[in-house]
Amino acid sequence: ARKEVSLGTRAVGLVPFRASTLLRGSDSSDDKPEKGSTSGSAGDGTCVLATGDRPTVVYLAGTNSANARAGSGTILPKLCYSSVHLSSNPSSADDEEEDQGTGGPNAGGAGRESLTVTVAAPFHSSLLVSSAASGGSGNGSDQKDSSLTYPLCVADESTLRLGIIDDIQKLHVTTHKLGMTPRRVAYHEAGRVICVGAIDGNSSSAKGGDGGIMQGESNMGNCVRFFDDTTLEEVDRLDLDPFEMILSMVSATLTVGQGEASAGEGDGSKRRVSRPYIIIGTAYAYPDEDEPTKGRVLLIQCGGGGSGDGNAAGDDTPMVDAAAEGGSMPSALNRTVRIASELIMKGGVYSICPFYDGSILVTENSKTRYCRVVDGSLKMVGSGHHGHTLSLCVQSLMPPHSGSGPATSDDERSQIAIVGDLMRSIAVVQYFPKYKALEEVARDYNTQWTTATEMLTENVYLVAENWCNFVILKRNPKAAAEEVRCRLETVGEFNAGEMAN
């Protein structure tokens, strides 16, 4: 099979070298060794360094498994690509990060710099290898492994570097069989649960009446399953109504206020409290409707078990988090999941995003709604924004679990978000707390079938469309002309070759 990988914009040179530790760290085996054991010595192997502005090591994994060494079984080697980065720690060498979910010791993101390689050659020095090994943990195993390490000599226009490529450390993957098709996934840190919205293909019924399943029809029922983030033990399951589909799911912290004062006016903000929720958007996909005319936004809380219902929808007492109290997290057996509030919508809820001051933005068919929790119930504020063909996605710069306080004049100027339309690219909307209005302030007037959007900064946005392209748009809010302020300028285009969704 043919595989193409983009390696930057400069000319690429191929430099073969031998690196046994690289292959030993990245080798994958069909066998599953016991915990704490290894799959055996991989031996020496040849890798290829592709030079350029994105230097990459190309190597073959899966050829040194136990089955391959014994001459039995099917050998399915895999061609892997790993980008080489420059470590900012002088005591450590160049490290690399595999493109398929694995990384080196410093794969967390800190201490990395981009590296440009014009020419490269294999290089070996016992002094360099021994010094690099002694800079690590200093145990005997590191000293022994360092004898099998083969460094590289790389250079760009101004610098010559001698370094060692660190081992690739495999990401440990645990598989849990759902038995149904997953549709949306979200991680709820406060409750330490993984929320999976799934389609249960075995769900069928013969209900009648309004909203039920008519005789002879089957329903691919949607449900939300909650799993412990450590043991993957199922905590709870929430079954949705017949014909109800999960369209969006997010974990966010919302501000629960009392009355109209909770909008950030007066001293009502003193009575507000922030609570973490799992927010789910759904739509009722009836067979006789081309576009959904009904949907729901569900606020779900997950916490420790206890006697009685407690913490009802209108109760302002937050659910007690055992971890926050200094105790141990409750087990999956005594954790509870419940619907704290629900909001009936007049269409499908395609996207949800956290917004400023503990609120959320919800896209409902062609509309964008501003919602917040008041008196324990989720409510829409204002009339929202209209004028889209289909509001497919919405994004803001607000982190999902940031603290929220009363809105200030600075917050009012920055309360913006982007809304991706199915056919009309994106629009920038701004919420004005004083008037409780959500208005459009800028738009991209090019026709683009949007599949995904992201706010890079307050005025720079990334759009993915169905022709496998990425488009970068820029807003100029300080322009003198109104025509320039309300128009998004295209400042970058990139063909990815694959559709992003």
Side-chain angles (χ1 to χ4, degrees), residues 14-294:
L14 301 179
V15 180
F17 68 99
R18 301 182 69 84
S20 60
T21 56
L22 177 64
L23 292 179
R24 183 173 65 254
S26 63
D27 185 30
S28 61
S29 172
D30 294 335
D31 299 336
K32 294 183 179 179
E34 295 180 356
K35 186 176 181 180
S37 64
T38 60
S39 58
S41 175
D44 290 346
T46 301
C47 303
V48 176
L49 176 66
T51 64
D53 55 346
R54 290 176 57 188
T56 303
V57 174
V58 185
Y59 61 96
L60 204 61
T63 59
N64 296 311
S65 62
N67 289 337
R69 293 191 299 272
S72 62
T74 303
I75 302 175
L76 297 175
K78 180 176 64 173
L79 195 63
C80 299
Y81 300 79
S82 297
S83 301
V84 180
H85 300 272
L86 179 64
S87 175
S88 61
N89 185 3
S91 63
S92 62
D94 295 351
D95 57 309
E96 57 178 303
E97 181 177 356
E98 189 176 356
D99 64 346
Q100 297 182 357
T102 63
N106 298 324
R112 286 181 177 270
E113 299 178 10
S114 59
L115 176 67
T116 300
V117 176
T118 305
V119 293
F123 179 83
H124 178 73
S125 172
S126 58
L127 296 178
L128 179 63
V129 173
S130 60
S131 63
S134 62
S137 59
N139 53 29
S141 60
D142 290 341
Q143 299 288 347
K144 182 178 179 180
D145 291 343
S146 65
S147 62
L148 299 176
T149 304
Y150 293 85
L152 281 176
C153 175
V154 298
D156 55 17
E157 288 82 354
S158 59
T159 308
L160 176 67
R161 294 183 176 92
L162 304 178
I164 301 173
I165 296 179
D166 293 342
D167 293 348
I168 296 178
Q169 297 182 357
K170 297 295 290 184
L171 180 68
H172 298 281
V173 178
T174 301
T175 303
H176 180 78
K177 187 174 181 179
L178 290 174
M180 54 185 66
T181 304
R183 184 173 178 86
R184 295 291 185 270
V185 178
Y187 176 60
H188 188 54
E189 184 178 4
R192 295 189 58 182
V193 293
I194 301 173
C195 315
V196 181
I199 302 175
D200 189 358
N202 298 324
S203 176
S204 61
S205 176
K207 295 179 182 179
D210 186 18
I213 302 175
M214 305 304 296
Q215 188 71 28
E217 294 184 0
S218 61
N219 176 40
M220 303 288 285
N222 280 231
C223 63
V224 185
R225 301 177 66 181
F226 304 87
F227 299 93
D228 183 84
D229 63 351
T230 303
T231 64
L232 292 183
E233 182 181 2
E234 186 164 2
V235 176
D236 205 342
R237 169 172 170 164
L238 174 65
D239 290 309
L240 301 183
D241 295 339
F243 297 108
E244 189 175 16
M245 297 176 55
I246 299 175
L247 299 182
S248 55
M249 181 186 298
V250 67
S251 173
T253 299
L254 303 185
T255 300
V256 180
Q258 296 181 357
E260 297 296 330
S262 65
E265 303 172 3
D267 60 354
S269 59
K270 297 180 181 179
R271 298 190 297 270
R272 298 186 301 172
V273 61
S274 297
R275 295 183 192 152
Y277 291 98
I278 305 164
I279 311 168
I280 300 175
T282 70
Y284 287 85
Y286 296 118
D288 57 344
E289 292 182 352
D290 296 331
E291 184 174 327
T293 58
K294 181 182 177 182

Side-chain angles (χ1 to χ4, degrees), residues 330-355:
S331 66
L333 298 178
N334 60 5
R335 261 183 285 179
T336 58
V337 174
R338 67 177 188 85
I339 299 179
S341 177
E342 70 174 71
L343 178 62
I344 303 298
M345 310 293 289
K346 296 181 179 180
V349 182
Y350 289 94
S351 181
I352 301 172
C353 82
F355 204 52

Side-chain angles (χ1 to χ4, degrees), residues 299-335:
L299 288 187
I300 298 178
Q301 280 187 309
C302 179
S307 60
D309 293 334
N311 196 246
D315 187 6
D316 288 331
T317 305
M319 299 180 71
V320 178
D321 190 348
E325 294 288 334
S328 59
M329 236 355 244
S331 66
L333 298 178
N334 60 5
R335 261 183 285 179

